[in-house]
Amino acid sequence: MGGPGDPPEGTPEGGPGGAEDEYRSVVFDESFVRAARLQEYSAQERMADHAPAVRRRPPLHRGLTRQALILVLLIALAFGTAIYMGVRQPYSSPEARRTADPLRMSVIPLAPQGKVPGAADAEFLYAHSPAAQFDVGAAGIPLPATHSTAHFSDSQVTAALSSARGYLVRSSLDPDVLAGRQVRTARALLDSDQLDQFDQSFDHPAADGRHSPTGWVVRLDPTRAQLADDRIRVQGTLQAAESDPATLEVITDTVFVYALRPTGAAANAPVSLFTVRRELTFRFDRDNLRVGQIQLAGSYAQAGPLSCAEDATSYLRPLLAGQTARTGAPAGTNPFATDSAPSLCGTLATKAQPKV
């Protein structure tokens, strides 16, 4: 019995869904016939004397299209060019990073002429000193206008100046560093090649021009003096230039003026000023600029009022209000000892910048 939509006699033969559908799966399209390996002879060919009814067709030779051929040629050309350039101009392996040089340092005491002046108020002393127009703290070390160099971009020059300024602030203005309580904030900025020298300087200080803690940081003798005013007066400059195509150099010249009183003294104890002028030379390679570290190449400091007869290797031992310099000269220098630094001493001018 047919379905609801079928004619009473069923679907006509030859119509849609009729017997033709039973053979639809075995009908071959033209591409299939052309690809057959066996081919039946035509009627005319069969009239000739042929034993087999079919013949074997030769395999089709499908050649590369024009686009594929061009692509293959381009790849071959590029590969050949790469090989040629590699032979003519081979890639050089990156140069090994140059080790940071050890820091060379010197600290020159400046002896006062007579008694060290003092007052009950730090502001009064500042106002009557060469530091009257200095800024307070890090504001006294402004970053200069920056320009790119032949081998370093403007941003790299700015990074070098900022890192050098950061080291000055951490090593000269941090109250914990000044009091000798810690040095890790300054140490954290150093190139890893200089950490051993830094640590040895604090573990085993020596007056050899390489291992003096006061060459790395401003460090006051905590048994003698303490800050009477946290508003340290500062005036400094920074200059950047290339020393070679792989190295950027920053030179700083900064004067720090501290108001001090004797350690443990009452708040109304007389206050005196202590001046440190630091001329530091920093070097930066591209790795230093990338990670924000410095190479401290040179440290030259003048500090006073100090007594020339006292050692300034481990700590700076300031002369305070009303004190005078001890008689005597700095320790002698052996000119035959290559590992010793010359012992120098200068005079502290009362109304001028410190000079040797």
Side-chain angles (χ1 to χ4, degrees):
M1 183 175 179
D6 295 335
E9 294 82 10
T11 304
E13 187 176 354
E20 188 175 309
D21 290 342
E22 298 179 10
Y23 302 100
R24 183 167 298 175
S25 61
V26 297
V27 174
F28 305 122
D29 59 13
E30 185 178 354
S31 62
F32 181 85
V33 173
R34 289 183 178 179
R37 300 297 302 274
L38 298 178
Q39 183 182 25
E40 185 180 3
Y41 286 107
S42 65
Q44 185 176 359
E45 290 172 329
R46 285 198 299 270
M47 293 176 62
D49 186 14
H50 289 291
V54 295
R55 61 181 174 184
R56 184 175 295 275
R57 298 181 65 179
L60 293 176
H61 296 285
R62 296 183 179 273
L64 292 174
T65 64
R66 178 178 300 178
Q67 292 84 350
L69 182 59
I70 293 174
L71 179 60
V72 170
L73 290 175
L74 288 176
I75 293 174
L77 180 61
F79 187 71
T81 302
I83 294 177
Y84 174 77
M85 296 299 293
V87 172
R88 290 292 303 274
Q89 298 177 348
Y91 291 106
S92 57
S93 58
E95 294 183 2
R97 182 177 181 269
R98 186 173 64 187
T99 302
D101 295 328
L103 169 63
R104 299 291 299 182
M105 62 185 72
S106 62
V107 180
I108 300 177
L110 302 176
Q113 299 172 320
K115 290 185 178 181
V116 176
D121 181 44
E123 291 293 338
F124 176 84
L125 285 176
Y126 281 133
H128 293 81
S129 76
Q133 303 301 318
F134 287 11
D135 290 309
V136 176
I141 318 174
L143 290 177
T146 58
H147 303 282
S148 61
T149 64
H151 300 92
F152 292 88
S153 66
D154 180 82
S155 61
Q156 289 176 316
V157 174
T158 301
L161 290 167
S162 298
S163 294
R165 181 177 183 269
Y167 184 84
L168 279 170
V169 171
R170 294 190 187 190
S171 63
S172 310
L173 296 176
D174 186 331
D176 289 331
V177 173
L178 293 172
R181 290 188 289 266
Q182 61 93 6
V183 292
R184 63 180 181 274
T185 54
R187 184 183 188 274
L189 290 179
L190 289 174
D191 186 289
S192 58
D193 291 338
Q194 293 189 313
L195 293 180
D196 287 343
Q197 183 188 5
F198 183 91
D199 294 338
Q200 188 175 354
S201 298
F202 288 88
D203 295 339
H204 306 286
D208 59 1
R210 290 176 181 263
H211 298 96
S212 173
T214 51
W216 296 97
V217 300
V218 178
R219 195 185 195 207
L220 307 177
D221 185 349
T223 66
R224 178 170 297 189
Q226 65 182 31
L227 285 176
D229 185 357
D230 292 336
R231 294 167 54 83
I232 300 166
R233 301 306 195 265
V234 184
Q235 185 178 75
T237 60
L238 302 94
Q239 294 181 335
E242 283 188 20
S243 59
D244 59 62
T247 309
L248 198 60
E249 190 171 85
V250 175
I251 297 176
T252 68
D253 186 358
T254 314
V255 178
F256 301 89
V257 184
Y258 308 88
L260 305 178
R261 64 165 51 98
T263 299
N268 59 355
V271 177
S272 61
L273 298 183
F274 183 70
T275 303
V276 179
R277 181 172 185 171
R278 306 186 74 192
E279 298 175 51
L280 304 182
T281 300
F282 300 89
R283 293 198 181 110
F284 301 85
D285 59 25
R286 286 176 173 78
D287 285 341
N288 295 139
L289 296 174
R290 179 174 52 83
V291 300
Q293 292 182 337
I294 66 163
Q295 299 176 32
L296 186 54
S299 173
Y300 175 78
Q302 304 170 66
L306 293 172
S307 177
C308 292
E310 291 195 79
D311 181 24
T313 300
S314 298
Y315 291 98
L316 300 175
R317 297 176 169 86
L319 296 173
L320 303 174
Q323 295 180 336
T324 57
R326 290 171 47 192
T327 59
T333 299
N334 181 3
F336 300 99
T338 58
D339 61 347
S340 65
S343 296
L344 301 173
C345 188
T347 300
L348 180 64
T350 57
K351 293 295 183 180
Q353 297 292 344
K355 297 181 182 295
V356 176

